[in-house]
Amino acid sequence: MSNSNIGATSATYTDVTRTNIRVLSKDISAQIAKAKFISIDTEFTGLVLGNASRVFNLKTTEWVTRATDMRDRYRAMSNIAKTHALVSMGLSTFSIRHTRPGSYNVHNFNFLLQSQNSHLISPSSISFLAETGFDLCRQATKGIRYFSGPNPKPVEVKTEAINEEGFLIREVFLDIVRAGVPLVIHNGLFDLVYLYQSFFGPLPDTYESFAFDLNEMFPGGIYDTKIIAQRETPQSASYLAYLFHKSERLQKQRSERGEPALAVKLKDSLLRGSSEPKARCRRLLMDSSSSKPYCENFAQRGNCRYGNRCFRSHDINFILDCQEKEAAAEAEEALGMQVVETNAEDGAGDKKRKRDDTMEVGDSGSSDPPCKVLKADAVDTTQEAVVAADIDGLSIDKQTVPAPATPSPCEEIKETNGSEPLNLPAQPPLNMYHTAAYDAFMTGYIFASFRLVLEDKMSDYKNKVYLMGSDNPLLIQAGPYANTSITYIQTMRLMNTAAAEAAKAAETAVAETAAAAAAEPLSTDVADQLENAQA
């Protein structure tokens, strides 16, 4: 069991490697079969091809993953997936817990992967993975070994072991296909391309056939939470961690109002890891030219070129606190201005007094904008974080992780101006937002939140996948001039054959057990009972 933490929520996940996938595979299949919907996320070794060696003799025009024409874009994405590799896959299964809406049991799994095909590694992608806490050494020694596409014929014992691992991880993906439930992604077109190439078969030649295949593979539909967020909350940021924290707050508000709200219970069977790290505070003297104590680039896009060196906060809960207070202050000021204009006949003095009454005043008594005098309240010293979990198979409805009793010491970061200091939460660790299992969980949680709020309107977003740089989504549908690919036909035939063989084997086992029981001589007592019954 591993632990990944964000803000007030701590989600456990089962770490699946080559050493335990055989033991866990049946349990994973069982959870997939029970799921109401499934969310996924992946990490891989490349998004683009940059500065490739001339020895490859590549046509760079065929590797533009943001091409305007979808045919060119799909060809480029297909080339990337065929020459690069998955390194991890996150999977979250959301199954019904109670009959009331929004009640789910959640199982999270993180699959560490190691492709056995020679593949390219993008320097920027591998740097990103290392910076966000991905253990490349562990991946090399513990990653589940697989071959993209069909497994090769075993030539030695080692290959047989690798093929078993590859078969088991491929079965996980095929179980998702068999489940027929909604598949949830976040900006996940590349995830779908990589998963298809790695675990289903060689990618189709055209994006029309690819879309046709996906439509057939996932009859429950594919839902992209980035598309949903951009359409339902167009004025808000739409990156994953921001949407997750915002969804948490929305559900808390719904619960406080007595409305149906999400009740998510983590159901991992292994012991939870350590509780979430305590947030440190840092003392910061704000530049008077800046109007906000948080990083606006990070608030809007989820990234900042300065990383942890940025002097402004990247803590999403703190950012949301600021934005809520800013919105409240703007609404209050607008209301005050309306009152002032309505009562303009009362005189200039009264007008000025009323306008002053509507302004936020900081601790120092100044009339600076509200965001300049906010105090960080990301560390809650009065409440406990309540997390539902299953430990060693025992259902524990409430497990509490105590919040720190007192704020931790602050470090002072000085600037050259004389503005008032602010207590800001320290930058969260980079690896908090980029674990495949936790990203899958956040994706599923966001989907569940929207599903509870939008109800029947969710069907409007079925089979619409976000396209970077485009205002229109990619439609996953059966086009009039396309058909299923050869890969789909062959893989589905193998799936059906395997299912038939498994069913036949099960029937044979039952028949053999019954025959063995019938052939076994009855004890004297049992025989006497049968004779008495017949008499």
Side-chain angles (χ1 to χ4, degrees):
M1 180 64 56
S2 298
N3 199 313
S4 182
N5 304 288
I6 294 183
T9 299
S10 174
T12 54
Y13 60 86
T14 300
D15 201 37
V16 187
T17 66
R18 71 175 67 161
T19 62
N20 62 14
I21 186 170
R22 182 191 297 177
V23 175
L24 295 173
S25 59
K26 289 185 178 180
D27 291 335
I28 296 170
S29 295
Q31 297 308 322
I32 292 173
K34 292 191 297 184
K36 187 70 173 178
F37 66 88
I38 295 168
S39 54
I40 59 170
D41 181 78
T42 66
E43 303 290 349
F44 31 79
T45 63
L47 278 166
V48 296
L49 183 71
N51 301 318
S53 172
R54 293 183 179 179
V55 72
F56 292 116
N57 195 27
L58 300 174
K59 295 181 180 180
T60 56
T61 56
E62 296 180 355
W63 296 77
V64 182
T65 56
R66 290 200 184 186
T68 304
D69 188 285
M70 189 58 214
R71 294 174 179 81
D72 294 335
R73 180 180 295 209
Y74 172 75
R75 180 174 57 186
M77 297 179 76
S78 177
N79 287 338
I80 292 290
K82 291 175 180 177
T83 54
H84 294 70
L86 290 176
V87 295
S88 69
M89 178 179 72
L91 168 67
S92 293
T93 62
F94 286 69
S95 56
I96 296 298
R97 181 184 176 194
H98 296 302
T99 55
R100 66 175 182 269
S103 180
Y104 296 101
N105 289 324
V106 182
H107 291 259
N108 301 312
F109 302 95
N110 193 74
F111 299 87
L112 190 64
L113 306 172
Q114 187 192 46
S115 174
Q116 299 301 291
N117 304 91
S118 295
H119 55 271
L120 301 176
I121 297 176
S122 167
S124 59
S125 294
I126 210 70
S127 296
F128 170 79
L129 289 171
E131 290 171 358
T132 53
F134 186 83
D135 192 336
L136 296 167
C137 293
R138 188 168 180 268
Q139 185 238 354
T141 57
K142 299 293 185 181
I144 299 166
R145 295 167 291 187
Y146 71 96
F147 291 93
S148 293
N151 282 351
K153 293 182 179 179
V155 295
E156 55 185 7
V157 175
K158 181 179 179 181
T159 310
E160 291 179 358
I162 293 172
N163 273 9
E164 182 184 20
E165 296 169 27
F167 170 78
L168 292 173
I169 187 61
R170 184 170 287 105
E171 279 298 300
V172 170
F173 181 73
L174 296 181
D175 281 340
I176 297 173
V177 176
R178 294 184 186 104
V181 298
L183 181 68
V184 187
I185 56 177
H186 181 86
N187 188 12
L189 180 56
F190 243 129
D191 298 288
L192 296 173
V193 172
Y194 266 103
L195 287 168
Y196 190 111
Q197 172 66 24
S198 299
F199 303 134
F200 197 75
L203 283 161
D205 293 332
T206 66
Y207 95 92
E208 290 91 350
S209 290
F210 176 66
F212 200 122
D213 287 358
L214 292 179
N215 182 66
E216 296 295 314
M217 291 163 63
F218 303 106
I222 298 173
Y223 292 84
D224 194 325
T225 53
K226 191 171 181 71
I227 282 288
I228 302 172
Q230 287 189 338
R231 299 295 171 86
E232 294 298 324
T233 56
Q235 304 303 321
S236 178
S238 60
Y239 62 91
L240 185 62
Y242 183 92
L243 291 176
F244 172 69
H245 285 295
K246 193 168 183 179
S247 297
E248 280 189 312
R249 291 177 176 233
L250 172 63
Q251 295 306 317
K252 182 179 179 181
Q253 292 167 1
R254 288 175 63 91
S255 178
E256 291 172 348
R257 295 194 299 263
E259 300 175 0
L262 284 186
V264 171
K265 182 178 181 181
L266 303 177
K267 292 283 290 182
D268 293 308
S269 59
L270 300 179
L271 187 63
R272 284 173 48 84
S274 59
S275 61
E276 63 180 274
K278 308 298 188 296
R280 274 194 320 138
C281 291
R282 62 191 179 109
R283 197 167 178 81
L284 174 63
L285 296 175
M286 293 299 296
D287 185 354
S288 59
S289 63
S290 175
S291 62
K292 290 179 169 58
Y294 58 84
C295 177
E296 295 186 70
N297 280 333
F298 190 87
Q300 287 296 321
R301 302 176 183 86
N303 62 74
C304 169
R305 61 176 179 170
Y306 298 113
N308 280 350
R309 294 174 296 168
C310 181
F311 286 126
R312 292 179 175 79
S313 177
H314 291 177
D315 185 282
I316 296 180
N317 277 317
F318 178 71
I319 292 171
L320 286 166
D321 287 339
C322 289
Q323 291 177 342
E324 287 177 359
K325 293 177 182 179
E326 289 166 9
E330 289 175 1
E332 187 177 354
E333 184 174 358
L335 179 61
M337 291 297 294
Q338 184 178 2
V339 172
V340 169
E341 292 174 1
T342 304
N343 298 281
E345 64 274 9
D346 292 342
D350 290 342
K351 183 176 181 179
K352 184 177 186 304
R353 186 187 72 249
K354 291 179 181 178
R355 184 172 182 177
D356 289 343
D357 289 343
T358 65
M359 297 183 67
E360 293 284 345
V361 180
D363 294 341
S364 62
S366 67
S367 58
D368 288 334
C371 56
K372 279 195 174 184
V373 296
L374 293 178
K375 301 296 179 181
D377 53 0
V379 180
D380 186 352
T381 62
T382 61
Q383 297 181 349
E384 294 180 330
V386 179
V387 181
D390 259 16
I391 300 178
D392 292 334
L394 299 177
S395 178
I396 299 178
D397 289 333
K398 292 184 178 180
Q399 177 175 330
T400 59
V401 180
T406 57
S408 52
C410 296
E411 57 180 345
E412 186 169 347
I413 302 177
K414 297 182 179 179
E415 291 188 358
T416 56
N417 56 58
S419 58
E420 289 294 321
L422 290 173
N423 289 331
L424 298 180
Q427 305 295 36
L430 289 174
N431 62 355
M432 287 173 66
Y433 299 112
H434 294 288
T435 303
Y438 203 82
D439 285 358
F441 169 68
M442 289 194 292
T443 299
Y445 187 96
I446 295 165
F447 174 78
S449 178
F450 275 120
R451 193 179 198 182
L452 190 62
V453 174
L454 298 178
E455 297 179 342
D456 293 341
K457 190 180 177 183
M458 281 297 292
S459 60
D460 295 344
Y461 299 105
K462 181 179 179 180
N463 287 344
K464 295 179 180 178
V465 175
Y466 176 74
L467 281 177
M468 295 184 69
S470 174
D471 294 332
N472 299 314
L474 173 66
L475 301 180
I476 305 300
Q477 61 186 12
Y481 303 107
N483 206 336
T484 52
S485 68
I486 295 176
T487 296
Y488 175 85
I489 295 171
Q490 292 177 342
T491 304
M492 295 303 294
R493 183 183 299 148
L494 289 173
M495 283 176 56
N496 295 333
T497 301
E501 290 177 352
K504 185 177 180 180
E507 290 177 1
T508 302
V510 171
E512 290 176 351
T513 303
E520 185 177 350
L522 297 176
S523 66
T524 304
D525 293 339
V526 174
D528 291 341
Q529 291 177 7
L530 288 174
E531 289 179 1
N532 293 334
Q534 291 174 354

